[in-house]
């Protein structure tokens, strides 16, 4: 099997690397920039977009669990494109594989057929903590004195570096730079049974996370005490399925049962399953950006369909910031639903003013401004026959640095648009996320350093308006209207972080807008 070392093998291997100097250099880079993960490591490639850290998918009690997990991960590919992996168990041993790239590139029929078992966990990753390399690809797999252990998570553990330092002082040797590895060490060092050890470990973690933890006997599913990162449970016959989004449950033919509750730990074994708690439900705070941008429009969260929520955001945006125009268009693909809603509310025709290429591939390195501009044109193009001579209301879901907005506005003008009125279906994004979204440092967030009027001039639009925070919350709606912000985390808009231990010194204390 690949990627799995016993503790003694790991110690020997790491000592050899230390002699060569490789491991020493690597460890010195783990936390060089600060004491917490996700400090704005994202780069300004051809698209100035926020990126989700990852997605998870799990299966318990299905005959061909690895193949089912493959299809689930394929549906969740939008949540992570850098690496992916699957670990399956037949009750006696693990079979697993991880690789860099897309799900369809990493797995083939022969690989999946070799991974036997009725339970499996899978992962797609885009790194916000730890390097983008195979060692950090998940699920992480370990051998402990009590047997094999595999872990996959969606989210970020804010206090992982502090826990890591304490564990290293006690002799733990880490094989990756991923924050996910800390929970494996906490479990492995415990003298308690797996379930008790997992509860003790989860209570030490601060951040937003949805965990899948598997041994040859059990599968555990856990959500942080605020429910910051989504995870839902479904069923196919007697088998149970878990996914970051319900769209993957639909894709494999699973019936949706419910979302995992904040602070809940589900335990699946030969006796069936039971629900336990490792923490009480604190302030419920599911990430609002799931509704605004990340999740697929056919997914459901908080009993709300994402397409419907985004249409309502567009309608609310039209009520708050109507402007006379000839057509409404959306930046594909995540802004289309909001654009349709805006058009319906405003009584202005919706037109496909921009086209997104689905075959342009992934672009990671853009060595010059000229090539960055070309990267945008490869993926987005304006439809001249639609926008020429027209006053265009352009709907987008968010503005991060503003670079892409400027390029798109320029693109529309070059295609003959006489006016471009930019409308954003979310509040100004002013503060970084520490819970599993790759966001820039505050100094790079355009809304944290410029007023709306200044941003409008920077991006070159004729007018600019954002959806209000109140309008966003109202439009999303959901099942938790009695809770703060309808049970949503809005910290990237209002700096009201639901957890402690957020490094506020890294966030601008004042903004100009």
């Amino acid at each position: 099997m690949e990627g799995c070392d016993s503790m003694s093998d790991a110690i020997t291997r790491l000592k050899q690397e230390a002699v060569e100097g490789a491991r020493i250099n690597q460890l010195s880079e783990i936390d060089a920039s600060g004491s917490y993960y996700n400090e704005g490591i994202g780069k300004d490639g051809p698209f100035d977009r926020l990126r989700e850290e990852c997605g998870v998918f799990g299966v318990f009690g299905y005959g061909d669990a690895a193949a089912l997990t493959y299809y689930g991960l394929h549906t969740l590919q939008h949540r992570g494109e850098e690496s992916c992996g699957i670990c399956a168990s037949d009750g006696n041993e693990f079979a697993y594989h991880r690789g860099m790239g897309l799900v369809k590139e990493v797995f083939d029929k022969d690989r999946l057929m070799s991974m036997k078992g009725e339970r499996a966990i899978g992962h797609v990753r885009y790194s916000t903590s730890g390097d983008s390399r195979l060692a950090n690809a998940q699920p992480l797999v370990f051998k402990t004195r009590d047997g094999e252990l595999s872990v996959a998570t969606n989210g970020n553990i804010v206090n992982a570096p502090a826990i890591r330092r304490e564990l290293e002082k006690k002799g733990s040797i880490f094989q990756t730079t991923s924050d996910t590895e800390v929970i494996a060490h906490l479990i492995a060092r415990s003298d308690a049974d797996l379930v008790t050890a997992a509860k003790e470990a989860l209570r030490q973690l601060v951040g937003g996370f949805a965990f899948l933890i598997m041994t040859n006997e059990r599968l555990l599913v856990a959500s942080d005490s605020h429910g910051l990162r989504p995870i839902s449970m479904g069923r196919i016959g007697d088998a149970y399925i878990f996914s970051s989004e319900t769209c993957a449950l639909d894709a494999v033919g699973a019936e949706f049962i419910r979302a995992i509750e904040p602070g809940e730990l589900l335990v699946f074994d030969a006796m069936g399953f039971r629900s336990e708690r490792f923490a009480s439900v604190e302030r419920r705070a599911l990430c609002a950006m799931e509704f605004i941008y990340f999740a697929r429009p056919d997914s459901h969260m908080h009993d709300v369909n994402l397409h419907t929520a985004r249409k309502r955001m567009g309608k609310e945006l039209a009520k708050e910031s109507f402007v006379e125009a000839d057509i409404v268009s959306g930046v594909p693909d995540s802004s289309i639903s909001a654009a349709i809603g805006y058009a319906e509310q405003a009584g202005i025709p919706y037109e496909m003013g921009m086209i997104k290429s689905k075959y342009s591939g992934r672009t990671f390195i853009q060595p010059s401004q000229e090539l960055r501009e070309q990267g945008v044109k490869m993926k987005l193009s304006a439809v001249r026959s639609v926008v020429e001579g027209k006053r265009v209301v352009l709907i987008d879901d968010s503005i991060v640095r503003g670079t892409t907005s400027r390029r798109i506005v320029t693109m529309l003008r070059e295609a003959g648009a006489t006016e471009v009125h930019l409308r954003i279906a979310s509040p100004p994004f002013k503060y970084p996320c520490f819970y599993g979204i790759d966001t820039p440092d505050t100094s790079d967030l355009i809304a944290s350093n410029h007023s709306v009027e200044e941003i409008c001039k920077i991006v070159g639009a004729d007018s600019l308006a954002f959806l209000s925070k109140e309008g966003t919350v109202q439009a999303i709606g959901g099942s938790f209207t009695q809770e703060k912000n309808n049970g949503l985390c809005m910290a990237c808009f209002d700096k009201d972080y639901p957890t402690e231990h957020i490094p506020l010194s890294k966030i601008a204390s004042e903004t100009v807008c």
Side-chain angles (χ1 to χ4, degrees), residues 414-431:
E414 290 175 347
T418 58
E419 297 177 12
V420 180
H421 300 277
L422 187 58
R423 295 293 182 267
I424 308 300
S426 66
F429 198 108
K430 297 182 180 181
Y431 309 103

Side-chain angles (χ1 to χ4, degrees), residues 196-210:
T196 302
K199 288 182 177 179
E200 293 172 349
L202 290 165
R203 290 189 191 108
Q204 296 183 54
L205 306 183
V206 176
F209 52 79

Side-chain angles (χ1 to χ4, degrees), residues 70 84-86 97 103-108 111-112 115:
Y70 169 86
C84 61
I86 297 174
H97 179 66
V103 176
K104 66 180 181 180
E105 297 169 346
V106 172
F107 292 94
D108 56 26
R111 175 70 67 180
L112 291 170
M115 303 174 72

Side-chain angles (χ1 to χ4, degrees), residues 320-345:
E320 294 182 2
S321 56
F322 173 83
V323 62
E324 292 286 351
D326 300 307
I327 63 170
V328 175
S329 188
V331 178
D333 288 316
S334 59
S335 304
I336 299 301
S337 298
I340 293 172
Y342 189 103
E344 288 182 0
Q345 181 64 39

Side-chain angles (χ1 to χ4, degrees), residues 116-144:
K116 306 296 184 182
E118 296 185 346
R119 71 197 64 166
I121 61 176
H123 190 271
V124 288
R125 181 174 191 264
Y126 166 74
S127 61
T128 65
S129 64
D131 302 330
S132 175
R133 56 191 180 92
L134 183 58
N136 287 330
Q138 296 186 35
L140 299 180
V141 181
F142 307 89
K143 284 184 177 179
T144 72

Side-chain angles (χ1 to χ4, degrees), residues 159-205:
N159 64 335
I163 296 175
R164 183 183 186 115
R165 286 192 293 268
E166 289 302 313
L167 289 171
E168 288 176 331
K169 290 178 183 177
K170 296 175 182 178
S172 291
I173 298 176
F174 283 76
Q175 302 179 43
T176 76
T177 60
S178 170
D179 59 343
T180 303
E181 190 176 353
V182 298
I183 194 170
H185 284 265
L186 290 171
I187 292 173
R189 293 182 67 87
S190 175
D191 293 327
D193 63 272
L194 174 68
V195 176
T196 302
K199 288 182 177 179
E200 293 172 349
L202 290 165
R203 290 189 191 108
Q204 296 183 54
L205 306 183

